Amino acid sequence: MQFPDTSRWRLRLACGAVSALLVASAPALAALHAIGADDQGVGRLFTDLDMPATAVALGDGSRAFNGGLTFSAADGRFYAIANDSFGQSVLTSFSASDPAQLSTPISLGSGFVGGLAAQGNRLYAVGQDFTGAASLYRLDAGGASLVGALGGGLFGGLTYNPRSGLLYGIAADDVGVQRRLVAIDANAAGGPTTTVLFDLGDGSRAFQGGLAWDDADRRFVAIANDSSGASQLVAFTASSAASLTDLATPLGPGYVNAGLAWTAAPVPEPEAAWLLLAGLATLGGRQAWRRRAAPTSAC
């Protein structure tokens, strides 16, 4: 009796499993969140922009969460920077299911009002000194560590684009309006490098409400604010200032907190997929060796 060659279908099974795991490893964007103002004008309302009526107040009102908001798919938590009336900044975090339950604040120093971004399990933030000069910092349980100075100042948002491997921020233009999109290489030798891409809009609006990368549509989303304080969600691509488009309905006042972030599903370790492939391929290879016939790759 001749037994069927099982090595080939085992390899096909491995390839299918690897494909499924790798697709699953891409963060799935869910809801877009921002920090809005409470009834007293304090920026601390954690808001799902699809369901603004369900906004949750962060903290007791003694701090404004106006330094940035990001979601880390590495641990499934939101991170935010809050500032008290003396300008002292702290980093805190919370789960998407229970935003009111804040982690123990981590002191950062002062001046962290320029945005916050997650790159894998790393957190980056923009801090600004009393002259408005901006610097990039790495944040962890020990506080803030200086990465290096950034060109320009008065940042109004920070985000990470996994497709380019770069951070992006919205800095002030030549007359001080926060509308200049810049790319930041945090890992450049000698300190972070900043590349100016273009200015958004005609200068009548400042983009100080936050910045987030929309990986599904391969574009940025941001919050723009006019001179009356009215806020508007906008979108644009990385290649053209002319792509700037207003999205949906205006947000209302108070979204000036450099905080905008997508919820994303936690990312599985991709090594598991390759271990599965290696194991099944080895098993198939051993069976083929016993029959002295090498399997053909199905990938």
Side-chain angles (χ1 to χ4, degrees):
M1 178 179 294
Q2 184 175 3
F3 293 94
D5 182 355
T6 60
S7 61
R8 188 168 299 177
W9 69 259
R10 286 180 185 276
L11 283 172
R12 288 174 178 168
L13 175 62
C15 291
V18 168
S19 298
L21 283 174
L22 291 179
V23 169
S25 70
L29 298 180
L32 187 61
H33 293 79
I35 301 292
D38 65 10
D39 293 340
Q40 305 303 314
V42 179
R44 67 185 189 106
L45 287 187
F46 176 68
T47 307
D48 181 337
L49 295 183
D50 288 330
M51 298 183 293
T54 63
V56 177
L58 303 176
D60 59 6
S62 61
R63 292 189 177 107
F65 291 74
N66 55 4
L69 174 72
T70 192
F71 181 84
S72 172
D75 61 7
R77 292 180 67 82
F78 282 96
Y79 288 81
I81 294 176
N83 291 274
D84 63 18
S85 57
F86 299 101
Q88 294 301 302
S89 308
V90 298
L91 175 70
T92 188
S93 71
F94 51 89
S95 68
S97 59
D98 188 9
Q101 188 65 37
L102 300 177
S103 67
T104 301
I106 298 171
S107 178
L108 302 178
S110 61
F112 287 87
V113 292
L116 178 66
Q119 179 182 349
N121 59 3
R122 295 181 178 181
L123 293 177
Y124 290 97
V126 175
Q128 295 162 171
D129 65 18
F130 67 94
T131 68
S135 296
L136 185 67
Y137 290 82
R138 171 86 180 274
L139 309 186
D140 55 30
S145 301
L146 178 66
V147 179
L150 298 173
L154 300 176
F155 274 66
L158 189 70
T159 192
Y160 174 66
N161 177 357
R163 295 182 182 272
S164 67
L166 299 175
L167 297 167
Y168 292 82
I170 296 181
D173 65 10
D174 295 336
V175 295
V177 179
Q178 289 167 275
R179 66 186 189 106
R180 178 159 292 171
L181 182 68
V182 297
I184 303 167
D185 184 352
N187 301 310
T193 59
T194 302
T195 303
V196 174
L197 300 181
F198 49 75
D199 291 346
L200 295 166
D202 59 5
S204 63
R205 296 190 295 184
F207 297 79
Q208 61 203 59
L211 176 68
W213 171 252
D214 178 355
D215 198 62
D217 291 327
R218 302 190 184 187
R219 64 181 182 178
F220 294 100
V221 290
I223 296 177
N225 313 97
D226 64 21
S227 59
S228 70
S231 306
Q232 174 69 53
L233 188 67
V234 300
F236 54 92
T237 67
S239 59
S240 172
S243 65
L244 180 65
T245 304
D246 287 3
L247 298 178
T249 56
L251 300 178
Y255 290 89
V256 292
N257 302 295
L260 190 64
W262 292 98
T263 315
V267 181
E269 291 295 331
E271 287 81 0
W274 300 115
L275 288 174
L276 175 62
L277 173 60
L280 289 176
T282 299
L283 179 60
R286 286 177 178 173
Q287 291 187 347
W289 176 81
R290 288 170 185 163
R291 292 188 301 276
R292 302 188 184 281
T296 302
S297 174
C299 296

